[in-house]
Amino acid sequence: MTRPIRVAIIGSGPSGIYAADALAAQEDVAVSVDIIDRLPSPFGLVRYGVAPDHLSIRSVRDTLDKVLDLANVRFIGNVEVGRDLSLPDLRRFYDAIVLTYGASRDRSLGIPGEDLTGSIAATDFVNWYTGHPDTPPDAFAEFLSTATQVAIIGVGNVAVDVTRILVKAPGEIDHTDMPQHVFDALRASTVTDVHIIGRRGPAQATWTTKELRELGELEEAEVIIESDADASDAASQSAMATGKVVARNVAVIEEWSQRPPRDTRRRIHLHFRRRPREISGDVGVEQITLERTQIDEDGRAHGTGDLSTLAVDAVIRSVGYRGTPVDGIPFDDTRNVIPNAEGRVIDGGSPIPGVYVAGWIKRGPTGIIGTNKKDAVQTVGHLLTDAADANFRTAAQPEESAVDAFLASVTVVDVPGWRRIDSAERALGATRGRDRTTLHDRAQLLDAASGVTPD
Ligand code: NAP
C-alpha cells in the first residue's frame, strides 16, 4: 500500500489551518499534514492581528482549533523554518510544502523622519496589544505615558483598530483577552487626540462600514471631521455608484459631520486629502508635515504643493502589511508576494514541484479572514491534482517520525502542549473575571505548554 502524502504547512494562521482542513477533509488521497509555526501558539493574525475587542471575529479561533484535533493533522509549534528546519530539510521530510506564513512586516512610507523615536509601525503596536511574544511588554510605555496628540497614517481597518484601542474607555476593553500590562498601560494612557490621515478622500478609504461606524459609538471619544471629506468629485461619485460599501462609508462620515459636538475626554479627528511629507522633531516626533492632495478622475492622489503641519507626539504608520522572502524560494519584490499560479509557486515561468502558497504571501495583505478559505481551497485543489503524478512522493525519509527525530533538540509545542497553554490562559483570565488573559512571554508560553502554571 502506498503511504499517505506528507504535507508541511508553514504558518498556522487562517490560511494555513484552512489549507490543512481542505487536505484532511477530502478522501481521494490519503494525507498526513504537519502545521509548522515559529510561535508556540497557533492561529497567526487571529491571535496577533484581530483586535482584542472584536470578540466575534476572534471567536473564529474555535473553528480553526477543531482542525488541530483531526487525526491526520499535527501542530509543530515553536519551530522556525530557516532556524530549526531549512528548506532542503523540509524537502527531505515532506512531499509537498505549503507556505502560508503571511505578511507580518510593515510597509514603509518612504518619507524623512520615518525612523524618529515616536514614529511607530502599526504592526508593532498591534503585536504589543495582542501580546505577541516578540514585542517587549514595555515597548510603548513611554509613548502611552507621555503622548497626547497622535497621528495615524492610513485609512484602512488596521488604522480603525488602533484608533479604537487608543481611545476606548477602560470599561470598553476590560472584558478582552489582552495581557494585563496592556490594560494597565492603556488605562493610564495620556492620549487625548488621534488624527487619522487619509491621502485620498472618504470614498477611497479601505475601511469597512461596520468597523468605521464603531468609531462613532465610543463612550469617551467623539469624531471630528477636519478636512476635505467632500465626495462630490467624479472619481468619488463613480466609486459610490458602483460600490455599496463606499457609499455607506461616505454616508457615515457625512452623518458625523452634522452631529452636534460632544464634550468628550478624547477626540478622533479625520483628515482627508492630506499626504504625509515629513515627520520631524529634535529628539523624537514633534510634528508631521502634510501636503494637500487632489483626486484625479481615476481616484489617484496628486500633491498640490499646499503644505501644513500638525503638532503631534507620535505617528503610527498604518499603511499596510508586507510579505518577506524565505531562503530558496523566489520572491516578487514589487508585490511582496511569492510568485505563483493559483497557489503553485512559479520559478522562471514553471511551477516548482511540490511547493505551494496560500493566504497573504500568495495574494498580498487583503481581504477578510474568510477570504483565506477560498484561497487555501484553490491551492489545495492544485496540490491534490499534482499528487496524482507518480513522482509526487519525493520525501527521502520513509517515516513520518523522521522529522520528530530531527527536531529532538528543539522544544516543540504539539497539540496537547497548545491545549495546556489554552487552559493556562483561561485560568489566568478567570482570576480577573475574564474569559482569557493572553500569555505574552515566550518562556511563560513554553512553561505553560509543558504543564507549569504561570505566576
Ligand atoms: P489597507 O486596507 O490596505 O489600508 C492601508 C491604508 O494605507 C490605505 O488607506 C492606503 O491608502 C494607505 N497608504 C498606503 N500607502 C500610503 C502612503 N505612502 N501614504 C499615505 N497613506 C498610504 O491595509 P490595513 O488597514 O493594514 O488592513 C490590511 C487588511 O486586513 C485589509 O484587507 C483589512 O480590511 C484587513 N483587516 C480587517 C479587519 C476587520 O475586518 N475588522 C481589521 C483589520 C484589518 P491608499 O488607498 O491611498 O493606498
Side-chain angles (χ1 to χ4, degrees), residues 155-433:
V155 286
N157 278 331
V158 171
V160 173
D161 283 349
V162 168
T163 302
R164 231 180 32 255
I165 295 296
L166 280 174
V167 303
K168 269 194 163 181
E172 290 173 298
I173 50 172
D174 211 31
H175 58 294
T176 72
D177 63 8
M178 293 193 284
Q180 189 60 40
H181 65 266
V182 176
F183 284 112
D184 295 342
L186 290 172
R187 193 169 288 133
S189 159
T190 49
V191 172
T192 56
D193 292 80
V194 176
H195 300 262
I196 303 181
I197 298 167
R199 63 177 166 182
R200 301 190 288 159
Q204 286 81 31
T206 51
W207 45 42
T208 40
T209 315
K210 184 170 170 289
E211 280 64 30
L212 179 65
R213 271 205 189 106
E214 283 180 70
L215 293 184
E217 295 161 358
L218 302 174
E219 272 176 30
E220 291 192 340
E222 67 168 326
V223 182
I224 300 168
I225 315 297
E226 294 288 349
S227 70
D228 289 355
D230 177 58
S232 62
D233 58 293
S236 300
Q237 287 295 310
S238 146
M240 287 162 65
T242 51
K244 277 190 193 153
V245 175
V246 175
R248 285 194 205 116
N249 287 348
V250 171
V252 168
I253 288 165
E254 264 169 22
E255 194 259 312
W256 285 344
S257 68
Q258 282 151 31
R259 277 189 185 179
R262 280 161 71 203
D263 187 19
T264 47
R265 191 162 79 93
R266 289 176 164 145
R267 287 153 295 277
I268 300 164
H269 307 260
L270 296 186
H271 305 250
F272 291 102
R273 294 181 169 84
R274 294 288 184 277
R275 72 175 183 194
R277 290 297 301 270
E278 183 175 6
I279 302 168
S280 48
D282 281 341
V283 185
V285 171
E286 288 173 18
Q287 70 172 26
I288 180 161
T289 303
L290 303 171
E291 179 181 18
R292 190 172 186 184
T293 63
Q294 273 173 349
I295 314 291
D296 69 17
E297 52 195 29
D298 296 320
R300 282 188 300 246
H302 298 275
T304 61
D306 178 4
L307 300 181
S308 59
T309 56
L310 196 61
V312 288
D313 309 302
V315 173
I316 300 183
R317 310 178 315 266
S318 181
V319 294
Y321 285 77
R322 175 170 64 86
T324 50
V326 62
D327 270 354
I329 299 287
F331 194 70
D332 178 341
D333 287 322
T334 315
R335 295 186 53 228
N336 295 318
V337 296
I338 293 176
N340 69 92
E342 297 188 344
R344 290 183 175 109
V345 173
I346 300 290
D347 191 15
S350 323
I352 307 179
V355 184
Y356 303 85
V357 275
W360 277 9
I361 199 63
K362 168 184 176 185
R363 65 172 200 279
T366 58
I368 57 171
I369 293 169
T371 316
N372 296 297
K373 187 164 189 172
K374 217 170 134 194
D375 180 307
V377 165
Q378 181 190 56
T379 296
V380 165
H382 289 309
L383 188 159
L384 293 171
T385 303
D386 298 347
D389 186 313
N391 297 320
F392 190 78
R393 285 179 178 73
T394 59
Q397 303 286 337
E399 299 297 327
E400 187 180 60
S401 56
V403 71
D404 303 356
F406 183 82
L407 291 171
S409 62
V410 181
T411 309
V412 171
V413 178
D414 55 9
V415 174
W418 157 240
R419 298 272 181 260
R420 285 189 284 271
I421 294 176
D422 190 43
S423 303
E425 292 189 335
R426 287 177 199 271
L428 188 60
T431 64
R432 293 162 180 144

